[in-house]
Amino acid sequence: SQQGEEDPQALSIQEGENATMNCSYKTSINNLQWYRQNSGRGLVHLILIRSNEREKHSGRLRVTLDTSKKSSSLLITASRAADTASYFCATDLFTGGGNKLTFGTGTQLKVEL
Amino acid sequence: SQTIHQWPATLVQPVGSPLSLECTVEGTSNPNLYWYRQAAGRGLQLLFYSVGIGQISSEVPQNLSASRPQDRQFILSSKKLLLSDSGFYLCASRGESSYNEQFFGPGTRLTVL
């Protein structure tokens, strides 16, 4: 089953605007990670936020984590057409057999010129 | 950083035929390895993961199997493919720490006819 659920499922904005995607999850986690996938390609890691962190920045990306609400958000500022892709959150949990990432269903972002 | 190789990039197979997808990893040793399947427009479903040579954990009952004959080699197999096995298969690798990002291969698009 999917641990993370992204919202919205699809988002269309104009170049230069900010894009915000949200992720909700159900169980306790070690960390939460955001990935990007261009159409038909593999996933690229964007940012990792640990369970004891509340906010993290990387370039134009800002991620927040609220463990009390079991939610996270990804903000892309000053979006570009090249940011068009699907974005996934993934919750990381250590089990007896090793670390496992559970992915959400993703948000499809389209940035128009 | 790690580099994940997967081949082939695309594959069209008839129902009932066997399958072997290979994944090899460079740039790390003793990684945790993962096989995911992604249906069109959907999130990633974890199929198998391995914490070491010969150690395989299956996440969902299915028609597929996995093997890890070498530290940086992970193979996904089937004796007889079903139509429902069609999808985009992604191999991933990560270090042992729970705070390591996961690196993905380019994926194999499998179509079963």
Side-chain angles (χ1 to χ4, degrees), chain B residues 13-20 37 62-65 76-86 89 110 112-113:
Chain B
Q13 292 284 98
V15 169
S17 64
L19 173 74
S20 181
R37 177 169 58 204
Q62 58 201 310
N63 183 43
L64 302 168
S65 62
L76 184 69
S77 304
S78 174
K79 293 181 179 179
K80 289 185 178 182
L81 283 169
L82 306 172
L83 288 173
S84 58
D85 291 324
S86 293
Y89 289 84
L110 172 66
V112 182
L113 301 175

Side-chain angles (χ1 to χ4, degrees), chain B residues 24-99:
Chain B
T24 58
V25 180
E26 292 180 356
T28 186
S29 58
N30 196 30
N32 291 341
L33 298 177
Y34 306 83
W35 277 112
Y36 291 87
R37 177 169 58 204
Q38 185 178 30
R42 304 289 297 277
L44 278 71
Q45 180 184 35
L46 179 62
L47 302 177
F48 300 97
Y49 69 97
S50 171
V51 299
I53 296 174
Q55 300 179 62
I56 308 294
S57 296
S58 175
E59 285 295 292
V60 293
Q62 58 201 310
N63 183 43
L64 302 168
S65 62
S67 61
R68 185 170 177 176
Q70 300 180 45
D71 181 44
R72 289 171 288 175
Q73 183 185 29
F74 205 23
I75 297 172
L76 184 69
S77 304
S78 174
K79 293 181 179 179
K80 289 185 178 182
L81 283 169
L82 306 172
L83 288 173
S84 58
D85 291 324
S86 293
F88 191 48
Y89 289 84
L90 290 156
C91 176
S93 169
R94 69 185 293 180
E96 295 176 286
S97 165
S98 63
Y99 297 119

Side-chain angles (χ1 to χ4, degrees), chain A:
Chain A
S1 62
Q2 296 291 344
Q3 161 79 314
E5 295 292 334
E6 285 90 343
D7 169 53
Q9 291 187 349
L11 180 61
S12 183
I13 60 174
Q14 297 294 312
E15 197 171 47
E17 294 180 338
N18 296 341
T20 299
M21 289 159 268
N22 301 298
C23 169
S24 60
Y25 58 93
K26 298 175 182 176
T27 66
S28 297
I29 59 174
N30 292 335
N31 64 71
L32 186 143
Q33 304 182 27
W34 284 90
Y35 288 81
R36 165 198 168 117
Q37 183 182 34
N38 287 80
S39 180
R41 309 289 291 274
L43 275 73
V44 175
H45 181 267
L46 295 176
I47 198 165
L48 180 155
I49 186 166
R50 302 183 182 192
S51 58
N52 61 354
E53 297 176 313
R54 292 296 166 258
E55 188 170 313
K56 204 161 184 180
H57 297 254
S58 177
R60 293 185 295 114
L61 305 180
R62 173 178 164 247
V63 168
T64 63
L65 179 64
D66 187 335
T67 53
S68 66
K69 295 181 179 178
K70 292 186 169 58
S71 66
S72 174
S73 67
L74 170 67
L75 169 66
I76 304 174
T77 60
S79 64
R80 306 166 182 168
D83 294 329
T84 295
S86 293
Y87 292 82
F88 295 89
C89 70
T91 51
D92 192 17
L93 185 63
F94 178 80
T95 68
N99 288 85
K100 294 191 297 183
L101 280 181
T102 303
F103 285 81
T105 52
T107 293
Q108 292 187 22
L109 174 65
K110 183 175 182 180
V111 181
E112 300 185 76
L113 295 170

